[in-house]
């Protein structure tokens, strides 16, 4: 029998993966070695970013499937500043613990600032880490107003002097993708969490062959976090549109997340 403290540890780190691992879900529509200009034209932006996508991920713990995460990305292009609406839903069930994760976010690419911006997002978790959260970002992304379980707080970017914005988990993924397509191998990004701003230091670790239950041996691109969240490891598969195919925490008894379905629809 696992003690409650152990289950709390498990739930905490599964929810960490449910949020942090999904940063790669928008990653890589074209080959990783492609170099993207610092300023994207409308045509380049459409080609690289504006495909509608659907994802399904399975979550395993100690070799047993304990949950899933589904995500849909839909672009609305009938304006001068196209926006993406991303919806996610996940469930985890382990022993007597049941947790759910829901998020809806809106983001856009800023030609002025040459990076992605989050307009707003809402998130709801049930279970041990239950919370309801709504966030509105400033126009430049450097500050946010967060309503967490009815209590309002204000936050500023850690790297405000460098004009680095606060991301939600979905726009964080879009920016990681853009950085990697530009050939960057080290980069810092900040995320608006429920009650703090979290800073991530990502590093491309190289290529690694992994064995996938559905697709066999795959050569993947391995990305690690080397800062405060140094246990996070992400793998991306060039054979699967360079999407995130595996994520885990680099520790004993870590939950592991695997891609089980991916589809996309792009305008011709």
């Amino acid at each position: 029998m696992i003690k409650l403290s152990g289950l709390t540890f498990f739930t905490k780190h599964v929810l960490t993966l449910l949020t942090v691992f999904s940063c790669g879900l928008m990653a890589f529509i074209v080959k990783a070695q492609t170099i993207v200009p610092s300023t994207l034209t409308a045509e380049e932006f459409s080609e690289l970013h504006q495909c509608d996508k659907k994802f399904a991920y399975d979550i395993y713990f100690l070799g047993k499937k304990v949950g899933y995460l589904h995500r849909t990305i839909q672009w609305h292009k009938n304006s001068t500043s196209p926006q993406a609406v991303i919806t996610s839903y996940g469930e985890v069930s382990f022993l007597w613990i049941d947790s759910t994760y829901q998020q809806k976010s809106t983001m856009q690419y800023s030609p002025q600032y040459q990076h992605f911006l989050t307009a707003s997002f809402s998130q709801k978790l049930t279970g041990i880490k239950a919370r309801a959260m709504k966030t509105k970002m400033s126009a430049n992304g450097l500050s946010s107003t967060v309503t967490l379980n009815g209590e309002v707080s204000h936050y500023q970017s850690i790297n405000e002097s460098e004009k680095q914005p606060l991301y939600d988990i979905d726009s964080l993924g879009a920016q990681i993708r853009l950085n990697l397509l530009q050939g960057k191998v080290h980069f810092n990004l900040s995320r608006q969490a429920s009650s703090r701003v979290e800073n991530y230091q990502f590093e491309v670790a190289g290529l690694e062959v992994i064995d996938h239950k559905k697709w066999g041996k795959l050569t993947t691109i391995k990305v690690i976090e080397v800062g405060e969240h140094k246990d996070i490891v992400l793998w991306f598969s060039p054979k699967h549109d360079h999407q995130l195919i595996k994520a885990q925490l680099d520790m004993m008894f870590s939950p592991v997340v695997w891609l089980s379905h991916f589809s996309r629809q792009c305008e011709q």
Side-chain angles (χ1 to χ4, degrees):
M1 182 66 66
I2 302 177
K3 295 181 180 179
L4 181 60
S5 60
L7 289 175
T8 303
F9 172 87
F10 165 79
T11 303
K12 173 184 177 182
H13 287 88
V14 165
L15 292 176
T16 298
L17 284 181
L18 279 178
T19 54
V20 176
F21 92 88
S22 58
C23 68
L25 292 183
M26 293 192 68
F28 309 123
I29 294 176
V30 297
K31 295 183 179 180
Q33 60 265 34
T34 301
I35 302 300
V36 177
S38 58
T39 302
L40 298 175
T41 66
E43 182 178 353
E44 289 165 340
F45 181 80
S46 179
E47 179 184 354
L48 296 174
H49 297 274
Q50 290 182 246
C51 295
D52 293 341
K53 306 174 188 177
K54 294 182 179 180
F55 306 84
Y57 284 81
D58 293 331
I59 304 168
Y60 292 87
F61 184 64
L62 299 177
K64 179 181 178 181
K65 182 179 176 181
V66 296
Y68 65 87
L69 178 73
H70 293 168
R71 170 168 278 116
T72 300
I73 301 171
Q74 187 172 27
W75 281 92
H76 298 273
K77 313 179 186 69
N78 56 348
S79 68
T80 57
S81 181
Q83 290 188 327
V85 175
I86 304 97
T87 56
S88 304
Y89 182 80
E91 293 186 1
V92 173
S93 180
F94 183 70
L95 296 181
W96 64 84
I97 289 184
D98 294 303
S99 298
T100 65
Y101 166 85
Q102 299 179 62
Q103 177 158 310
K104 183 176 182 179
S105 60
T106 303
M107 71 170 191
Q108 64 187 47
Y109 178 77
S110 170
Q112 177 184 356
Y113 299 113
Q114 300 177 17
H115 55 60
F116 282 92
L117 291 171
T118 299
S120 62
F121 71 96
S122 59
Q123 186 185 101
K124 183 177 181 180
L125 301 181
T126 66
I128 290 179
K129 307 289 285 186
R131 65 172 177 257
M133 175 183 178
K134 292 185 178 181
T135 301
K136 176 70 174 179
M137 299 292 191
S138 62
N140 60 9
L142 297 179
S143 63
S144 65
T145 299
V146 176
T147 304
L148 178 63
N149 298 328
E151 183 175 344
V152 178
S153 301
H154 302 278
Y155 298 88
Q156 294 292 134
S157 169
I158 296 174
N159 300 308
E160 185 175 359
S161 62
E162 300 175 11
K163 304 299 182 183
Q164 293 190 16
L166 299 173
Y167 295 103
D168 78 300
I169 199 63
D170 296 309
S171 58
L172 183 78
Q175 191 60 42
I176 289 174
R177 173 184 184 273
L178 182 58
N179 288 348
L180 292 172
L181 289 174
Q182 289 175 323
K184 298 178 182 179
V185 294
H186 305 278
F187 44 90
N188 294 344
L189 299 171
S190 296
R191 179 176 73 92
Q192 178 63 64
S194 58
S195 58
R196 57 176 291 198
V197 173
E198 297 190 344
N199 193 57
Y200 296 89
Q201 300 177 44
F202 290 104
E203 182 175 294
V204 176
L207 300 179
E208 183 172 308
V209 177
I210 64 172
D211 195 1
H212 193 284
K213 180 179 180 180
K214 181 177 181 180
W215 293 301
K217 292 189 180 300
L218 298 171
T219 299
T220 62
I221 302 167
K222 185 177 182 180
V223 177
I224 59 176
E225 210 283 339
V226 296
E228 178 183 353
H229 308 276
K230 61 183 179 180
D231 294 321
I232 297 170
V233 187
L234 309 170
W235 290 264
F236 302 88
S237 172
K239 284 189 176 181
H240 297 82
D241 197 38
H242 290 80
Q243 297 296 335
L244 180 75
I245 200 165
K246 179 185 178 183
Q248 73 176 70
L249 301 175
D250 189 15
M251 57 175 58
M252 188 176 295
F253 305 124
S254 167
V256 182
V257 181
W258 289 95
L259 178 68
S260 58
H261 172 79
F262 168 69
S263 64
R264 65 173 182 153
Q265 180 64 48
C266 303
E267 292 185 357
Q268 299 297 323

